[in-house]
Amino acid sequence: MTEQNQSNPEHHRSIKSFVLRQGHMTAAQQKAIDDNWKRVGVDYINQFINLNQIFERENPKILEIGFGMGTATAQIAQKLPEKDFLAIDVHGPGVGNLCKLISEQQLTNIRVMRHDAVEVVENMLSDNSLDGIHIFFPDPWHKKRHNKRRLIQIPFIEKLLPKLKQGGYIHLATDWEEYAVQMLEVLSSFPKQLANTATDYAPTPNYRPETKFEARGKRLGHGVWDLVFIKK
């Protein structure tokens, strides 16, 4: 599989869903990609795709942006077998690990992409094609001068909303309180399009397992904030 436009200095965009970090791909992770990509991988193409064809069924489709090592993704897919998950990340070891988990657990309702999620949303996903969007523990960019790099900002939500069906949901989670405040402000900026399921932050839905980031945050004394908004 190829990474397109990830290191091209002439390719610019105002929003990125990731920061490319180097990580060591284990032999098992690379083998999991080699052995399973044809079945579970989706390569980037600059044209709209039919998610029902990719999953070979018409069940609800959930987009997950930034799945880390994929452990929570696999757990959610196991817990919600009636839903299909398009999981996107650029971190090679994480992609390999998720492919490994899919194979080991014989999961049929996950497809994996290794590409910038912003480009995928813009160029591959049709309007009204998603029933849900999961973005759990995105990089908080906690230094004030770096806040502008955060993924959850109004321009990105503007790109996501057309892809979401009426009645579909956006579920965000973070263990960084100041980012949680920003997330709430951003989603609340669309009162005609989105309705909060809670007064402010939502109880953690029972399908979302505790991630390693969440466990780490709790050990450090951080809270965890979930937000679930429904498209009107």
Side-chain angles (χ1 to χ4, degrees), residues 171 202-209 214 224-226:
H171 179 187
T204 301
N206 60 14
Y207 60 76
R208 185 177 76 73
E214 186 171 356
V224 175
W225 294 266
D226 285 79

Side-chain angles (χ1 to χ4, degrees), residues 10 13 19 25 40-41 55 62-63 79 99-100 103 126 130 140 153 157 166 179 188 191-192 207 211 214 219 226:
E10 298 178 358
R13 53 186 158 319
V19 174
M25 182 103 69
V40 305
F55 285 91
I62 311 299
L63 171 67
K79 194 171 287 189
C99 287
K100 184 170 177 284
S103 177
S126 302
L130 300 175
Q153 301 189 57
I157 301 302
Q166 184 178 8
Y179 199 5
S188 298
K192 294 182 179 180
Y207 60 76
T211 70
E214 186 171 356
R219 287 196 300 272
D226 285 79

Side-chain angles (χ1 to χ4, degrees), residues 61-145:
K61 301 296 186 283
I62 311 299
L63 171 67
E64 180 169 8
I65 297 174
F67 56 76
M69 294 305 288
T71 305
T73 305
Q75 289 177 305
I76 293 171
Q78 274 192 328
K79 194 171 287 189
L80 302 175
E82 74 283 2
K83 295 185 178 179
D84 294 328
F85 296 87
L86 179 64
I88 306 177
D89 208 307
V90 296
H91 187 54
V95 171
N97 197 62
L98 181 54
C99 287
K100 184 170 177 284
L101 292 172
I102 291 170
S103 177
E104 290 173 347
Q105 300 173 23
Q106 298 183 322
L107 299 171
T108 61
N109 59 335
I110 301 177
R111 297 293 181 271
V112 185
M113 293 194 69
R114 186 182 184 187
H115 199 78
D116 176 15
V118 177
E119 287 193 338
V120 174
V121 168
E122 288 180 329
N123 302 323
M124 291 183 69
L125 299 182
S126 302
D127 289 354
N128 302 304
S129 62
L130 300 175
D131 296 88
I133 298 168
H134 294 172
I135 307 176
F136 301 150
F137 304 97
D139 194 326
W141 289 107
H142 57 277
K143 292 183 180 179
K144 192 170 184 62
R145 67 180 183 272

Side-chain angles (χ1 to χ4, degrees), residues 151-192:
L151 179 62
I152 307 303
Q153 301 189 57
I154 286 175
F156 184 52
I157 301 302
E158 288 176 336
K159 294 178 186 295
L160 288 176
L161 281 177
K163 313 302 178 180
L164 200 58
K165 296 177 184 176
Q166 184 178 8
Y169 68 93
I170 298 177
H171 179 187
L172 310 179
T174 183
D175 63 352
W176 197 264
E177 184 174 11
E178 193 267 331
Y179 199 5
V181 171
Q182 178 178 326
M183 288 177 171
L184 182 60
E185 290 176 350
V186 168
L187 294 185
S188 298
S189 299
F190 298 88
K192 294 182 179 180

